[in-house]
């Protein structure tokens, strides 16, 4: 049914599991679980899915049946070769991106037709877990100001809470899973996420989240800014979000007044089964 085009060179050099590799692994595992036939790097089935649209993906695309070709979600709209897609929408069926704000970027800032961009998150594995709480808080820190981290630490100390800090790029999967299961909640201090696989893996372990969220993506400057978030997939089942550091105490009071079931949210919206169902809906609508 699906021809996956993947290249391990896309994550070559990484010493730890990263987002592109995790996406590839989870996509393959989810298709396996749901018994969807697929090939890797050969045109065997009906749909071509170029997961990584770097220049190598662009060259592969030039040799394909264009009508049944889907591109993404690993695509950078600022790359020169990607301009061909904007100028020639007949070259592909859909560009697939991982969340709504990553669709807003090409539509609002680059002028892509809205009907040529589809939103699809890769599936999250629902692993078994067992709580053994030893600490109050797990602080997850990624692409934020160190001064904000200092504010979070000061807040935790003021409330006599024990904590561990996990910095993006400085942990392995098993270490993160262990700390999730040993922590009562996560304080998420994160930049914008296109999907947020690591965050969703924590949600899948039923770890409640207090999120100091952001409001927009500005990585390429104000000219390209779009509304965005640290948690593009979210529900009140997962925790509490706030935006202004002055609201941290109020947000924490609200956070402590509820019971959370984030694993149920992940199971319904982001599990392997849910993800494959959404993917097949995109393909079958073509």
């Amino acid at each position: 049914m699906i021809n996956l085009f993947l290249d391990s060179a896309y994550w070559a050099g990484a010493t730890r599991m990263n987002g592109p590799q995790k996406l590839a692994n989870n996509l393959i595992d989810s298709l396996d679980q749901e018994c969807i036939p697929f090939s890797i790097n050969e045109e065997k089935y009906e749909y071509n899915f170029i997961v990584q649209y770097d220049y190598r993906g662009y060259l592969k695309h030039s040799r394909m049946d264009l009508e049944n070709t889907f591109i993404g979600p690993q695509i950078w709209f600022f790359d020169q070769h990607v301009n061909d897609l904007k100028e020639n929408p007949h070259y592909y069926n859909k560009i697939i991106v991982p969340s709504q704000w990553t669709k807003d970027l090409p539509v609002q800032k680059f002028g892509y037709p809205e009907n040529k961009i589809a939103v699809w998150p890769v599936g999250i594995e629902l692993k078994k877990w067992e709580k053994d709480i030893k600490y109050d808080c797990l602080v997850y820190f990624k692409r934020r100001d160190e001064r904000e981290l200092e504010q979070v630490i000061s807040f935790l100390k003021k409330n006599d809470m024990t904590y561990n800090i996990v910095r993006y790029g400085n942990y392995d999967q098993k270490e993160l899973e262990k700390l999730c299961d040993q922590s009562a909640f996560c304080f998420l201090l994160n930049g914008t996420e296109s999907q947020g696989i690591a965050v969703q893996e924590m949600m899948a372990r039923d770890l409640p989240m207090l999120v100091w969220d952001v409001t927009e993506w500005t990585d390429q400057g104000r000219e390209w800014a779009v509304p965005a978030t640290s948690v593009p997939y979210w529900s009140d089942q997962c925790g509490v979000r706030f935006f202004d550091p002055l609201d941290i105490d109020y947000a924490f009071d609200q956070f402590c007044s509820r019971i959370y079931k984030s694993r149920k949210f992940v199971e319904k919206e982001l599990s392997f089964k849910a993800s494959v169902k959404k993917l097949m809906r995109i393909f079958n609508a073509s």
Side-chain angles (χ1 to χ4, degrees), residues 45-113:
Y45 297 110
E46 181 179 1
Y47 300 117
N48 291 321
F49 190 10
I50 309 176
V51 177
Q52 304 149 340
Y53 204 70
D54 57 3
Y55 195 71
R56 290 181 294 269
Y58 169 74
L59 293 177
K60 290 174 186 174
H61 183 200
S62 67
R63 299 188 292 269
M64 286 181 179
D65 178 357
L66 303 179
E67 190 173 298
N68 292 327
T69 296
F70 297 78
I71 294 167
Q74 291 169 349
I75 180 171
W76 180 240
F77 289 97
F78 294 88
D79 281 341
Q80 186 62 38
H81 64 267
V82 177
N83 285 339
D84 280 358
L85 302 180
K86 176 185 173 183
E87 302 302 326
N88 299 280
H90 56 286
Y91 279 6
Y92 60 96
N93 192 297
K94 289 278 193 303
I95 296 173
I96 294 176
V97 295
S99 62
Q100 183 59 46
W101 81 260
T102 58
K103 175 177 179 175
D104 294 339
L105 176 65
V107 172
Q108 295 177 10
K109 299 298 183 176
F110 288 88
Y112 281 80

Coordinates of all heavy atoms in Angstrom, one line a residue, residues 45-113:
Y45 N 4.2 -0.3 -4.1 CA 2.8 -0.2 -3.8 C 2.2 1.1 -4.4 O 2.9 1.8 -5.2 CB 2.5 -0.2 -2.3 CG 2.9 -1.5 -1.7 CD1 4.0 -1.6 -0.8 CD2 2.1 -2.7 -1.9 CE1 4.3 -2.8 -0.2 CE2 2.5 -3.9 -1.3 CZ 3.6 -3.9 -0.5 OH 3.9 -5.1 0.1
E46 N 1.0 1.4 -4.1 CA 0.2 2.5 -4.7 C 0.8 3.9 -4.4 O 0.8 4.8 -5.2 CB -1.2 2.4 -4.3 CG -2.1 3.5 -4.9 CD -3.6 3.3 -4.5 OE1 -3.9 2.3 -3.8 OE2 -4.4 4.1 -5.0
Y47 N 1.1 4.1 -3.1 CA 1.4 5.5 -2.6 C 2.9 5.6 -2.3 O 3.5 4.8 -1.6 CB 0.6 5.8 -1.3 CG -0.9 5.8 -1.5 CD1 -1.6 4.8 -0.8 CD2 -1.5 6.6 -2.4 CE1 -3.0 4.8 -0.9 CE2 -2.9 6.6 -2.5 CZ -3.6 5.6 -1.8 OH -5.0 5.6 -2.0
N48 N 3.5 6.7 -2.8 CA 4.9 7.1 -2.5 C 4.8 8.1 -1.3 O 4.2 9.1 -1.4 CB 5.6 7.7 -3.7 CG 5.8 6.7 -4.8 OD1 6.2 5.5 -4.5 ND2 5.7 7.1 -6.0
F49 N 5.6 7.8 -0.3 CA 5.6 8.7 0.9 C 7.1 9.0 1.1 O 7.9 8.3 1.7 CB 5.0 7.9 2.1 CG 4.8 8.8 3.3 CD1 4.9 10.1 3.3 CD2 4.4 8.1 4.5 CE1 4.7 10.9 4.4 CE2 4.2 8.9 5.6 CZ 4.3 10.3 5.6
I50 N 7.5 10.2 0.7 CA 8.9 10.7 0.9 C 8.9 11.4 2.3 O 8.6 12.6 2.4 CB 9.3 11.7 -0.2 CG1 9.0 11.1 -1.6 CG2 10.8 12.0 -0.1 CD1 9.4 12.0 -2.7
V51 N 9.3 10.7 3.3 CA 9.3 11.2 4.6 C 10.2 12.3 4.9 O 9.9 13.3 5.6 CB 9.5 10.0 5.6 CG1 9.5 10.5 7.1 CG2 8.5 8.9 5.4
Q52 N 11.4 12.2 4.3 CA 12.5 13.2 4.4 C 12.7 13.9 3.1 O 13.3 13.4 2.2 CB 13.8 12.5 4.9 CG 13.6 11.7 6.2 CD 14.5 10.5 6.2 OE1 15.1 10.1 5.2 NE2 14.8 10.0 7.4
Y53 N 12.3 15.2 3.1 CA 12.4 16.0 1.8 C 13.6 16.9 1.9 O 13.5 18.1 1.6 CB 11.1 16.7 1.5 CG 11.0 17.0 0.0 CD1 10.7 15.9 -0.9 CD2 11.1 18.3 -0.5 CE1 10.5 16.2 -2.2 CE2 10.9 18.5 -1.8 CZ 10.6 17.5 -2.7 OH 10.5 17.7 -4.1
D54 N 14.8 16.3 2.1 CA 16.0 17.1 1.9 C 16.4 17.0 0.4 O 15.6 16.5 -0.4 CB 17.1 16.5 2.8 CG 17.4 15.0 2.6 OD1 16.8 14.4 1.7 OD2 18.3 14.5 3.3
Y55 N 17.6 17.3 0.1 CA 17.9 17.3 -1.4 C 17.9 15.9 -1.9 O 17.5 15.7 -3.1 CB 19.3 18.0 -1.6 CG 19.5 18.3 -3.1 CD1 18.8 19.4 -3.7 CD2 20.4 17.6 -3.9 CE1 19.0 19.7 -5.0 CE2 20.6 17.9 -5.2 CZ 19.9 18.9 -5.8 OH 20.0 19.2 -7.1
R56 N 18.3 14.9 -1.1 CA 18.2 13.5 -1.6 C 16.8 13.1 -1.8 O 16.5 12.4 -2.8 CB 18.9 12.6 -0.5 CG 20.4 12.8 -0.4 CD 21.0 11.8 0.6 NE 20.5 12.1 2.0 CZ 21.2 12.9 2.8 NH1 22.3 13.5 2.4 NH2 20.7 13.2 4.0
G57 N 15.9 13.6 -0.9 CA 14.5 13.3 -1.2 C 13.9 14.0 -2.4 O 13.1 13.4 -3.2
Y58 N 14.4 15.2 -2.7 CA 14.0 15.9 -3.9 C 14.4 15.2 -5.1 O 13.7 15.1 -6.1 CB 14.7 17.3 -3.8 CG 14.6 18.1 -5.0 CD1 13.4 18.7 -5.4 CD2 15.8 18.4 -5.8 CE1 13.4 19.5 -6.6 CE2 15.7 19.1 -6.9 CZ 14.5 19.7 -7.3 OH 14.5 20.5 -8.4
L59 N 15.7 14.6 -5.1 CA 16.1 13.9 -6.3 C 15.3 12.6 -6.5 O 15.0 12.2 -7.6 CB 17.6 13.6 -6.2 CG 18.6 14.8 -6.2 CD1 20.0 14.3 -6.0 CD2 18.4 15.5 -7.5
K60 N 15.0 11.9 -5.4 CA 14.1 10.8 -5.5 C 12.7 11.1 -6.1 O 12.2 10.5 -7.0 CB 13.9 10.1 -4.2 CG 15.1 9.4 -3.6 CD 14.8 9.0 -2.1 CE 16.0 8.4 -1.5 NZ 15.8 8.1 0.0
H61 N 12.2 12.3 -5.7 CA 10.9 12.7 -6.1 C 10.9 13.0 -7.6 O 9.9 12.7 -8.3 CB 10.6 14.1 -5.4 CG 9.2 14.6 -5.7 ND1 8.9 15.9 -5.5 CD2 8.1 14.0 -6.2 CE1 7.7 16.2 -5.8 NE2 7.2 15.0 -6.2
S62 N 12.0 13.4 -8.2 CA 12.0 13.8 -9.6 C 11.9 12.5 -10.5 O 11.6 12.7 -11.7 CB 13.3 14.5 -9.9 OG 14.5 13.6 -9.7
R63 N 12.1 11.3 -9.9 CA 12.0 10.1 -10.7 C 10.7 9.3 -10.4 O 10.6 8.2 -10.8 CB 13.2 9.3 -10.4 CG 14.5 9.9 -10.7 CD 15.7 9.0 -10.6 NE 16.0 8.6 -9.2 CZ 16.8 9.2 -8.4 NH1 17.5 10.3 -8.9 NH2 17.0 8.8 -7.2
M64 N 9.7 9.9 -9.7 CA 8.6 9.2 -9.2 C 7.3 9.5 -10.0 O 7.2 10.5 -10.7 CB 8.3 9.5 -7.8 CG 9.2 8.8 -6.8 SD 8.8 9.3 -5.1 CE 10.1 8.3 -4.2
D65 N 6.3 8.6 -9.9 CA 5.0 8.9 -10.3 C 4.4 10.0 -9.4 O 4.2 9.8 -8.2 CB 4.1 7.7 -10.2 CG 2.6 7.9 -10.5 OD1 2.3 9.0 -10.9 OD2 1.9 6.9 -10.5
L66 N 4.3 11.2 -9.9 CA 4.0 12.4 -9.1 C 2.6 12.4 -8.5 O 2.4 12.9 -7.4 CB 4.2 13.7 -9.9 CG 5.6 13.8 -10.6 CD1 5.6 15.1 -11.4 CD2 6.7 13.8 -9.5
E67 N 1.6 11.8 -9.2 CA 0.2 11.9 -8.8 C 0.0 11.3 -7.4 O -0.8 11.8 -6.6 CB -0.7 11.3 -9.8 CG -2.1 11.5 -9.6 CD -2.9 11.0 -10.8 OE1 -2.7 11.5 -11.9 OE2 -3.7 10.1 -10.6
N68 N 0.7 10.2 -7.1 CA 0.5 9.5 -5.9 C 1.6 9.7 -4.8 O 1.8 8.9 -4.0 CB 0.3 8.0 -6.2 CG -0.9 7.7 -6.9 OD1 -1.9 8.3 -6.7 ND2 -0.9 6.7 -7.8
T69 N 2.3 10.9 -4.9 CA 3.4 11.2 -4.0 C 3.0 12.1 -2.9 O 2.4 13.1 -3.1 CB 4.5 11.8 -4.8 OG1 5.0 10.8 -5.8 CG2 5.7 12.2 -3.9
F70 N 3.3 11.7 -1.7 CA 3.1 12.5 -0.5 C 4.5 12.8 0.1 O 5.4 12.0 0.1 CB 2.2 11.7 0.5 CG 0.9 11.4 0.0 CD1 0.6 10.4 -0.9 CD2 -0.2 12.2 0.4 CE1 -0.6 10.1 -1.4 CE2 -1.5 11.9 -0.1 CZ -1.7 10.9 -1.0
I71 N 4.6 14.0 0.6 CA 5.9 14.5 1.1 C 5.8 15.0 2.5 O 4.9 15.7 2.9 CB 6.4 15.7 0.1 CG1 6.6 15.2 -1.3 CG2 7.6 16.4 0.7 CD1 6.8 16.3 -2.3
G72 N 6.9 14.7 3.3 CA 6.9 15.2 4.7 C 6.8 14.0 5.6 O 6.6 12.9 5.2
P73 N 6.8 14.3 6.9 CA 6.7 15.6 7.5 C 8.1 16.3 7.8 O 8.1 17.4 8.2 CB 6.0 15.3 8.9 CG 6.5 13.9 9.2 CD 6.6 13.2 7.9
Q74 N 9.2 15.6 7.4 CA 10.5 16.2 7.6 C 10.8 17.0 6.3 O 11.5 16.5 5.4 CB 11.5 15.1 7.9 CG 11.3 14.5 9.3 CD 12.0 13.3 9.6 OE1 12.7 12.7 8.7 NE2 12.0 12.9 10.8
I75 N 10.3 18.3 6.3 CA 10.5 19.2 5.2 C 10.8 20.6 5.8 O 10.1 21.0 6.8 CB 9.3 19.2 4.3 CG1 9.5 20.1 3.1 CG2 8.0 19.5 5.0 CD1 8.4 20.0 2.0
W76 N 11.7 21.3 5.2 CA 12.1 22.6 5.6 C 11.7 23.6 4.5 O 12.3 23.6 3.4 CB 13.6 22.7 5.9 CG 14.1 24.0 6.4 CD1 15.1 24.8 5.8 CD2 13.7 24.7 7.6 NE1 15.3 25.9 6.6 CE2 14.5 25.9 7.6 CE3 12.7 24.5 8.6 CZ2 14.3 26.9 8.7 CZ3 12.6 25.5 9.6 CH2 13.4 26.6 9.6
F77 N 10.7 24.4 4.7 CA 10.1 25.2 3.6 C 11.1 26.3 3.2 O 10.8 26.9 2.1 CB 8.8 25.8 4.0 CG 7.7 24.7 4.1 CD1 7.3 24.1 5.3 CD2 7.0 24.4 2.9 CE1 6.3 23.2 5.3 CE2 6.0 23.4 3.0 CZ 5.7 22.8 4.2
F78 N 12.1 26.6 3.9 CA 13.1 27.6 3.5 C 14.2 27.1 2.6 O 14.9 27.8 2.1 CB 13.7 28.2 4.8 CG 12.8 28.9 5.7 CD1 12.0 28.3 6.6 CD2 12.6 30.3 5.5 CE1 11.1 29.0 7.4 CE2 11.7 31.0 6.3 CZ 11.0 30.4 7.3
D79 N 14.2 25.7 2.4 CA 15.2 25.2 1.4 C 14.8 25.6 0.0 O 13.7 25.6 -0.4 CB 15.2 23.6 1.5 CG 16.0 23.2 2.7 OD1 16.8 23.9 3.2 OD2 15.8 22.0 3.1
Q80 N 15.9 25.9 -0.8 CA 15.7 26.3 -2.2 C 14.9 25.3 -3.0 O 14.0 25.7 -3.8 CB 17.0 26.7 -2.8 CG 16.9 27.3 -4.2 CD 16.2 28.7 -4.2 OE1 16.4 29.4 -3.2 NE2 15.4 28.9 -5.2
H81 N 15.3 24.0 -2.9 CA 14.6 23.0 -3.7 C 13.1 22.8 -3.4 O 12.4 22.4 -4.2 CB 15.4 21.7 -3.6 CG 15.3 21.1 -2.2 ND1 16.3 21.2 -1.3 CD2 14.4 20.2 -1.7 CE1 16.0 20.6 -0.2 NE2 14.8 20.0 -0.4
V82 N 12.7 23.2 -2.2 CA 11.3 23.1 -1.8 C 10.4 24.1 -2.6 O 9.2 23.9 -2.7 CB 11.2 23.2 -0.3 CG1 9.7 23.2 0.1 CG2 11.9 22.1 0.4
N83 N 11.0 25.2 -3.1 CA 10.3 26.2 -3.8 C 9.6 25.6 -5.0 O 8.5 26.1 -5.4 CB 11.2 27.3 -4.3 CG 11.6 28.3 -3.2 OD1 10.9 28.3 -2.2 ND2 12.7 29.0 -3.4
D84 N 10.1 24.5 -5.6 CA 9.5 23.8 -6.7 C 8.1 23.3 -6.4 O 7.2 23.3 -7.2 CB 10.3 22.7 -7.2 CG 11.5 23.1 -8.1 OD1 11.6 24.3 -8.3 OD2 12.3 22.2 -8.5
L85 N 7.9 23.0 -5.1 CA 6.6 22.4 -4.7 C 5.5 23.6 -4.7 O 4.4 23.3 -5.1 CB 6.7 21.8 -3.3 CG 7.7 20.7 -3.2 CD1 7.7 20.1 -1.8 CD2 7.4 19.5 -4.2
K86 N 5.9 24.7 -4.3 CA 5.0 25.9 -4.3 C 4.6 26.3 -5.7 O 3.4 26.5 -6.0 CB 5.7 27.1 -3.6 CG 4.8 28.3 -3.6 CD 5.6 29.5 -3.0 CE 4.8 30.8 -3.2 NZ 5.5 31.9 -2.6
E87 N 5.6 26.3 -6.6 CA 5.3 26.7 -8.0 C 4.7 25.7 -8.8 O 4.0 26.0 -9.8 CB 6.7 27.1 -8.6 CG 7.4 28.2 -7.9 CD 6.6 29.5 -7.8 OE1 5.8 29.8 -8.7 OE2 6.8 30.2 -6.8
N88 N 4.7 24.4 -8.3 CA 4.2 23.3 -9.1 C 3.4 22.3 -8.3 O 3.8 21.2 -8.0 CB 5.3 22.5 -9.8 CG 6.1 23.4 -10.7 OD1 5.7 23.6 -11.9 ND2 7.3 23.9 -10.3
P89 N 2.2 22.7 -7.8 CA 1.4 21.9 -6.9 C 1.0 20.6 -7.5 O 0.6 19.6 -6.8 CB 0.2 22.8 -6.6 CG 0.2 23.8 -7.6 CD 1.6 24.0 -8.1
H90 N 1.1 20.5 -8.9 CA 0.7 19.2 -9.6 C 1.9 18.2 -9.4 O 1.7 17.0 -9.8 CB 0.5 19.5 -11.0 CG 1.6 20.2 -11.8 ND1 1.9 21.5 -11.6 CD2 2.5 19.7 -12.6 CE1 2.9 21.8 -12.3 NE2 3.3 20.7 -13.0
Y91 N 3.0 18.6 -8.8 CA 4.1 17.7 -8.7 C 3.9 16.7 -7.5 O 4.7 15.7 -7.4 CB 5.4 18.4 -8.4 CG 6.1 19.0 -9.6 CD1 5.6 19.0 -10.8 CD2 7.4 19.6 -9.4 CE1 6.2 19.5 -11.9 CE2 8.0 20.2 -10.5 CZ 7.4 20.1 -11.8 OH 8.1 20.7 -12.8
Y92 N 2.9 16.9 -6.8 CA 2.7 16.0 -5.6 C 1.2 16.0 -5.2 O 0.4 16.9 -5.7 CB 3.5 16.5 -4.4 CG 3.2 17.9 -4.0 CD1 2.3 18.2 -2.9 CD2 3.7 19.0 -4.7 CE1 1.9 19.5 -2.6 CE2 3.4 20.3 -4.3 CZ 2.5 20.5 -3.3 OH 2.1 21.8 -2.9
N93 N 0.8 15.1 -4.4 CA -0.6 15.0 -3.9 C -0.8 15.9 -2.7 O -1.6 16.8 -2.7 CB -1.0 13.5 -3.6 CG -2.4 13.4 -3.4 OD1 -3.0 14.0 -2.5 ND2 -3.1 12.6 -4.3
K94 N 0.0 15.6 -1.7 CA -0.1 16.4 -0.4 C 1.3 16.6 0.2 O 2.1 15.7 0.1 CB -1.0 15.7 0.6 CG -2.5 15.7 0.3 CD -3.1 17.0 0.6 CE -4.7 16.9 0.6 NZ -5.2 16.5 -0.7
I95 N 1.5 17.7 0.8 CA 2.6 17.8 1.8 C 2.1 17.5 3.2 O 1.0 18.1 3.5 CB 3.2 19.2 1.8 CG1 3.9 19.5 0.4 CG2 4.3 19.4 2.9 CD1 4.3 21.0 0.2
I96 N 2.7 16.7 3.9 CA 2.3 16.3 5.2 C 3.1 17.0 6.3 O 4.4 16.9 6.2 CB 2.3 14.8 5.4 CG1 1.2 14.1 4.4 CG2 2.0 14.4 6.8 CD1 1.2 12.6 4.4
V97 N 2.5 17.6 7.2 CA 3.2 18.3 8.3 C 2.6 17.8 9.7 O 1.5 17.2 9.7 CB 3.1 19.8 8.3 CG1 3.7 20.4 7.0 CG2 1.6 20.3 8.3
P98 N 3.4 17.9 10.8 CA 3.0 17.2 12.0 C 2.0 17.9 12.9 O 1.5 17.3 13.8 CB 4.3 17.1 12.8 CG 5.2 18.2 12.2 CD 4.8 18.4 10.8
S99 N 1.6 19.2 12.6 CA 0.7 19.9 13.5 C 0.1 21.1 12.8 O 0.5 21.5 11.7 CB 1.4 20.3 14.8 OG 2.4 21.3 14.5
Q100 N -0.9 21.7 13.5 CA -1.6 22.8 12.8 C -0.7 24.0 12.6 O -0.8 24.6 11.5 CB -2.8 23.2 13.6 CG -3.7 24.3 13.0 CD -4.2 23.9 11.6 OE1 -4.7 22.8 11.4 NE2 -4.1 24.8 10.7
W101 N 0.1 24.3 13.6 CA 0.9 25.6 13.4 C 2.0 25.4 12.3 O 2.3 26.3 11.6 CB 1.5 26.1 14.7 CG 2.7 25.4 15.2 CD1 2.8 24.5 16.1 CD2 4.1 25.7 14.8 NE1 4.1 24.1 16.4 CE2 4.9 24.8 15.5 CE3 4.7 26.5 13.8 CZ2 6.3 24.8 15.4 CZ3 6.1 26.5 13.7 CH2 6.9 25.7 14.4
T102 N 2.4 24.1 12.1 CA 3.4 23.9 11.0 C 2.7 23.8 9.7 O 3.4 23.9 8.6 CB 4.2 22.6 11.3 OG1 3.3 21.4 11.4 CG2 5.0 22.7 12.5
K103 N 1.4 23.7 9.7 CA 0.6 24.0 8.4 C 0.4 25.5 8.2 O 0.5 25.9 7.0 CB -0.7 23.3 8.5 CG -1.6 23.5 7.3 CD -2.9 22.8 7.3 CE -3.8 23.1 6.1 NZ -5.0 22.3 6.1
D104 N 0.2 26.2 9.2 CA -0.1 27.6 9.1 C 1.2 28.3 8.5 O 1.0 29.3 7.7 CB -0.4 28.3 10.5 CG -1.7 27.8 11.0 OD1 -2.5 27.3 10.3 OD2 -1.9 27.9 12.3
L105 N 2.3 27.9 8.8 CA 3.6 28.5 8.3 C 3.6 28.5 6.8 O 3.7 29.6 6.2 CB 4.8 27.8 8.9 CG 6.1 28.3 8.3 CD1 6.4 29.8 8.7 CD2 7.3 27.4 8.9
P106 N 3.5 27.3 6.1 CA 3.6 27.4 4.6 C 2.4 28.0 4.0 O 2.5 28.6 2.9 CB 3.7 25.9 4.2 CG 3.1 25.1 5.4 CD 3.5 25.9 6.6
V107 N 1.2 27.9 4.6 CA 0.0 28.5 4.0 C 0.0 30.0 4.2 O -0.2 30.8 3.2 CB -1.3 27.9 4.7 CG1 -2.5 28.7 4.2 CG2 -1.4 26.4 4.3
Q108 N 0.3 30.5 5.4 CA 0.3 31.9 5.6 C 1.5 32.7 5.2 O 1.4 33.9 4.7 CB 0.1 32.2 7.1 CG -1.3 31.7 7.7 CD -1.4 31.9 9.2 OE1 -0.5 32.6 9.8 NE2 -2.4 31.3 9.8
K109 N 2.6 32.1 5.2 CA 3.9 32.8 4.9 C 4.5 32.5 3.6 O 5.2 33.3 3.0 CB 4.9 32.5 6.0 CG 4.5 32.9 7.4 CD 4.3 34.5 7.5 CE 3.9 34.9 8.9 NZ 3.8 36.4 9.0
F110 N 4.2 31.3 3.0 CA 4.7 31.0 1.7 C 3.7 30.9 0.6 O 4.1 30.8 -0.5 CB 5.4 29.6 1.8 CG 6.7 29.6 2.6 CD1 6.8 29.4 4.0 CD2 7.9 29.8 1.9 CE1 7.9 29.5 4.7 CE2 9.1 29.9 2.6 CZ 9.1 29.7 4.0
G111 N 2.4 31.0 1.0 CA 1.4 31.0 0.0 C 1.0 29.6 -0.6 O 0.4 29.6 -1.7
Y112 N 1.3 28.6 0.1 CA 0.8 27.2 -0.4 C -0.7 27.1 -0.3 O -1.3 27.6 0.7 CB 1.5 26.1 0.5 CG 2.9 25.8 0.1 CD1 3.9 26.6 0.6 CD2 3.2 24.7 -0.7 CE1 5.3 26.3 0.3 CE2 4.5 24.4 -1.0 CZ 5.6 25.2 -0.5 OH 6.9 25.0 -0.9
P113 N -1.3 26.5 -1.2 CA -2.8 26.2 -1.1 C -3.1 25.4 0.1 O -2.4 24.4 0.4 CB -3.1 25.5 -2.4 CG -2.0 25.7 -3.3 CD -0.8 25.9 -2.5

